[in-house]
Amino acid sequence: MQTFFSVAIDALAYGMVLFVISIGLSITMGLMRVVNLAHGAFAMVGGYIASHATQELGFGYASAILIAVGITVIAAIPIERLLYRRIYGAPELTQVLMTIGITFCIIGIANYLLGPTLKVIPLPEFLRGPVDLGFRSIAAHKLFAIAVGGGVAIALWYLLERTAFGIRIRATVDDAAMAGSLGVNAKLVYAASFAVAVGLAALGGIVGAQMLPIEPYYALRYMVTFLVVVSIGGAGSIQGALLACLLLGAIDTTGRFLVPEYGEFFSYLAVVVVVSLYPNGLFGRAA
């Protein structure tokens, strides 16, 4: 029973980290119709900056998160303005080539400026030790990751379903021309959506650094994993991405515990099965 509980907590924490990072990719692919293969690079940038802020500049963990997310978003704004706007509505192959090129450029710049070694983001004292629940002790940073994932899910649901900004996003997605005629600035909506997606990627990269280590080829190593979340959950669906992350977290963690020699086999088998049964994902909709 203790083993089952430990595996369940590890799966939940891993799934929530995937959700925080991948939900931004789901937003860009589902709402903005952009196949953004550079999404993982922004998560890596957030991790690199947070590591530098804590290790070299002496900032605390909370301050490093704010600084890293803020700088990543600010750096992404001109990238969206100068590059991404050129591929909105372009063929998917064009989007893939553009964003994979951006990925390699970001990797090169990050490694040149901050070094090609594995980066560590020191946790504060209250997140380092275990939390005693009476019947079981759980690593504090895993509970923190779970809490962050839950908070992001609730905040995004409220943003998209209960705010004027969410209405503008959904209107622009359904009919950009009609939304524009009603006074909605589609370019501004896309820019704001992109900033939110990048900020979430950076946040996930930092919070999940204990489970998905920040290293030189982070953006490429986990690119397929982030795409898998979107393909299973359905692009643009918060509940779909959350369910997909929990499902992948459970399958991957359990598989690695029971039959570690199979690696990620069971995760990709789940992808094949789900996509075969639900081509648009569990909660996706046809284009």
Side-chain angles (χ1 to χ4, degrees):
M1 195 63 189
Q2 288 186 350
T3 301
F4 171 80
F5 188 75
S6 296
V7 172
I9 290 297
D10 288 346
L12 183 58
Y14 176 64
M16 283 302 194
V17 167
L18 279 184
F19 172 75
V20 176
I21 300 176
S22 303
I23 188 59
L25 179 58
S26 183
I27 289 173
T28 55
M29 290 184 65
L31 301 183
M32 300 169 63
R33 303 289 191 264
V34 175
V35 183
N36 183 19
L37 297 188
H39 187 76
F42 294 112
M44 183 190 74
V45 169
Y48 265 78
I49 295 174
S51 176
H52 183 72
T54 53
Q55 299 276 65
E56 306 297 332
L57 303 180
F59 284 97
Y61 187 71
S63 299
I65 290 177
L66 295 176
I67 291 171
V69 172
I71 292 178
T72 305
V73 170
I74 291 172
I77 291 174
I79 295 177
E80 189 276 338
R81 177 66 182 84
L82 298 175
L83 298 178
Y84 279 84
R85 288 193 185 182
R86 298 177 182 273
I87 60 174
Y88 291 155
E92 292 181 351
L93 179 59
T94 301
Q95 297 176 351
V96 167
L97 292 176
M98 170 73 84
T99 56
I100 199 69
I102 293 173
T103 298
F104 280 107
C105 288
I106 291 177
I107 289 174
I109 293 171
N111 289 335
Y112 176 76
L113 294 177
L114 300 173
T117 58
L118 182 72
K119 297 301 177 182
V120 177
I121 305 174
L123 294 172
E125 190 64 33
F126 72 93
L127 291 179
R128 292 179 187 172
V131 175
D132 188 3
L133 300 180
F135 62 94
R136 182 71 181 175
S137 294
I138 303 174
H141 76 271
K142 292 181 180 178
L143 291 179
F144 177 66
I146 294 170
V148 170
V152 167
I154 294 172
L156 274 179
W157 173 84
Y158 184 83
L159 176 68
L160 294 177
E161 300 294 335
R162 293 291 186 269
T163 66
F165 177 69
I167 294 173
R168 290 186 175 91
I169 290 178
R170 287 182 278 121
T172 303
V173 169
D174 289 336
D175 193 329
M178 180 60 72
S181 67
L182 295 175
V184 176
N185 188 330
K187 291 183 178 180
L188 183 59
V189 169
Y190 279 1
S193 301
F194 186 80
V196 170
V198 168
L200 289 174
L203 175 62
I206 301 166
V207 173
Q210 305 298 320
M211 288 167 271
L212 303 179
I214 304 298
E215 45 89 15
Y217 291 97
Y218 178 100
L220 297 177
R221 184 181 300 276
Y222 300 113
M223 178 190 295
V224 173
T225 303
F226 303 148
L227 287 173
V228 162
V229 171
V230 179
S231 66
I232 291 181
S237 171
I238 297 174
Q239 64 268 37
L242 181 58
L243 179 59
C245 289
L246 295 178
L247 180 64
L248 287 174
I251 293 173
D252 186 72
T253 305
T254 304
R256 289 177 184 276
F257 177 79
L258 296 177
V259 281
E261 63 272 16
Y262 280 85
E264 297 180 337
F265 169 78
F266 293 104
S267 296
Y268 290 112
L269 177 61
V271 175
V272 173
V273 172
V274 172
V275 173
S276 297
L277 297 175
Y278 304 94
N280 296 312
L282 295 175
F283 289 87
R285 61 178 183 174

